[in-house]
Structures are given as structure tokens and as C-alpha cells.
Amino acid sequence: MYWVSPRHLAGDDGTLAERIGDTLADLDWRMWPTSRHTLLYVSPDELRGAEWILAAYPFELGGLPVAWQLSARPHADSVMTEWNAYFTTGVPYEALADLLVAIDAREAPDTDFEWPETVLNALGARGWIRDVDRPHTTATDPGLSSSVSLEPVPPLIQDADPRPDLVGWQAWAEPVLGAPYLWCASFSASVPNDLVAAFAASLASPVPVPRRTVPENAVGRLTVVCRG
């Protein structure tokens, strides 16, 4: 067992499904297997959902398969979700778990009360640096290997707002410039900014995380605090 930092390059230890499934079980979300070989979790109030969709292989972000899809709806009987967020394999499970806890605790998961600056402030408080050319939309870790940025929403990202050319928060890790991404995340345009900030703050946390395996392309960028 290794304790490593920074968190945003630590990977998912190959246990992304299990770790997030445990988090959702602790939150009392119910789970059903679907005919698409996915696992669908629903909150007790039926306003929030999380689905392990890796087996269905719906699409990719940055060349990586999407593994988790999170969503929220305004009413339990609503057919259409208000917003969606997507996470590929490799994303640190701690950041995704903290986001789910924030989603579960929020009284109205479909309503946005905060400005985009909330996300950048959360990253800045952890030492991330605002982009010189785009200080109001983009922040990068001090090692320049991971970014969180307000960007045009990629194809296939679903949102209740039908307008074209929407922007939403996008996040990714690229330990080696020009090499494959370690992970990617995409938030649709209507995801509340304070929820994105919860993910960002956890992602940028300086607290070391336990791993049995670490991503090969991040080995040179990781600090091993101790071995257990």
C-alpha cells in the first residue's frame, strides 16, 4: 500500500466501481442492474441518480471510456434529467465520492445558486493557478498536469437546456504532455457550480491517498509519502 500525492494524478486503483458503490450504499441509495449490464443507483428521494455505465461503453471522453454518469431531476416523476456529469476510468475515486456526498446533501440538486467563480476559488484555495489568458474560466495545478476549465460542452453530453453552443466545466489530467489522458470529466451546462466546486476542491486536496497501484504515466509526477 502506498500513500501518494497529488490526488489528481493518483488514478482510481482499479476500484472505481467498488469504491463509489460503497459510497452510494452508505448514502442509502438503491441499486438495480439494468438490461444494458449497467448498475443504476437512485437516491431515496429519487431526484438524484448515478449509473456505472462502463459495460455499456456509451462513448469516450479524451479517448477514455466513460465509467460513471451522475444526474439530477427537478421532480421524481420527471422523465428528463436537468443535468448530467460524466467521468472516465482513472478519475480519483475520492473526488467523485466527495461530489456524490455533496449532491446527496443538497436540498435542490437541480438548481444553481452560485457563480462560476466558486469553482475557481475552490481550486485557488488549494494552490491551483489561474490561466493567464483565461483567468475567469480556467485553473491548472502547479505541476501543469491537470486542468479544470469552462469549455464548450463536448458531443453527447446531455442537458435539459436545448440551446446550442453551451459551456460547462471540463476537467482532465495529462501527466505527460502529448501522451494519453489519465482521466477526463465533463459536466453539462446546468450542473450547479457549487457541486463542481466540491469535486474540484477534493481533486486538488493536498492530503495523500492510499493506492496499491499507481498509473504508469504518472509515476514520475507522484510523491510517495510512505508505504504501508
Side-chain angles (χ1 to χ4, degrees), residues 54-141:
L54 184 61
Y57 210 98
F59 61 94
E60 295 182 344
L61 290 172
L64 298 170
V66 173
W68 279 102
Q69 178 180 350
L70 312 186
S71 61
R73 63 189 73 241
H75 308 288
D77 57 354
S78 298
V79 176
M80 179 176 288
T81 57
E82 189 70 16
W83 58 257
N84 291 272
Y86 306 82
F87 304 85
T88 71
T89 54
V91 68
Y93 55 77
E94 293 88 355
L96 188 50
D98 287 342
L99 170 59
L100 282 163
V101 170
I103 292 172
D104 183 80
R106 209 172 190 278
E107 184 174 349
D110 62 310
T111 306
D112 197 350
F113 300 107
E114 303 290 345
W115 294 98
E117 197 76 7
T118 303
V119 177
L120 299 173
N121 287 341
L123 292 167
R126 303 288 199 184
W128 283 39
I129 305 164
R130 296 203 188 200
D131 186 272
V132 175
D133 298 320
R134 305 175 61 192
H136 301 296
T137 61
T138 304
T140 305
D141 77 286

Side-chain angles (χ1 to χ4, degrees), residues 4-222:
V4 301
S5 64
R7 178 177 300 186
H8 59 88
L9 295 180
D12 63 10
D13 215 11
T15 61
L16 188 59
E18 294 82 1
R19 295 289 185 170
I20 300 305
D22 290 344
T23 297
L24 294 169
D26 290 341
L27 295 173
D28 294 324
W29 288 33
R30 293 173 293 166
M31 187 273 285
W32 296 271
T34 73
S35 60
R36 299 183 296 122
H37 306 292
T38 68
L39 299 177
L40 175 63
Y41 296 80
V42 177
S43 63
D45 62 7
E46 300 184 0
L47 297 182
R48 301 143 238 256
E51 189 170 8
W52 173 255
I53 56 177
L54 184 61
Y57 210 98
F59 61 94
E60 295 182 344
L61 290 172
L64 298 170
V66 173
W68 279 102
Q69 178 180 350
L70 312 186
S71 61
R73 63 189 73 241
H75 308 288
D77 57 354
S78 298
V79 176
M80 179 176 288
T81 57
E82 189 70 16
W83 58 257
N84 291 272
Y86 306 82
F87 304 85
T88 71
T89 54
V91 68
Y93 55 77
E94 293 88 355
L96 188 50
D98 287 342
L99 170 59
L100 282 163
V101 170
I103 292 172
D104 183 80
R106 209 172 190 278
E107 184 174 349
D110 62 310
T111 306
D112 197 350
F113 300 107
E114 303 290 345
W115 294 98
E117 197 76 7
T118 303
V119 177
L120 299 173
N121 287 341
L123 292 167
R126 303 288 199 184
W128 283 39
I129 305 164
R130 296 203 188 200
D131 186 272
V132 175
D133 298 320
R134 305 175 61 192
H136 301 296
T137 61
T138 304
T140 305
D141 77 286
L144 306 179
S145 59
S146 189
S147 296
V148 177
S149 184
L150 200 56
E151 303 279 352
V153 177
L156 304 179
I157 302 302
Q158 301 177 21
D159 193 88
D161 191 332
R163 292 176 297 174
D165 304 323
L166 294 173
V167 295
W169 289 102
Q170 314 302 315
W172 62 91
E174 188 181 13
V176 179
L177 186 63
Y181 291 107
L182 176 56
W183 57 264
C184 296
S186 180
F187 297 84
S188 74
S190 298
V191 178
N193 288 306
D194 62 307
L195 294 182
V196 181
F199 173 79
S202 181
L203 184 70
S205 171
V207 178
V209 293
R211 292 293 187 269
R212 295 188 182 278
T213 61
V214 294
E216 289 186 8
N217 60 345
V219 168
R221 309 296 299 273
L222 287 170

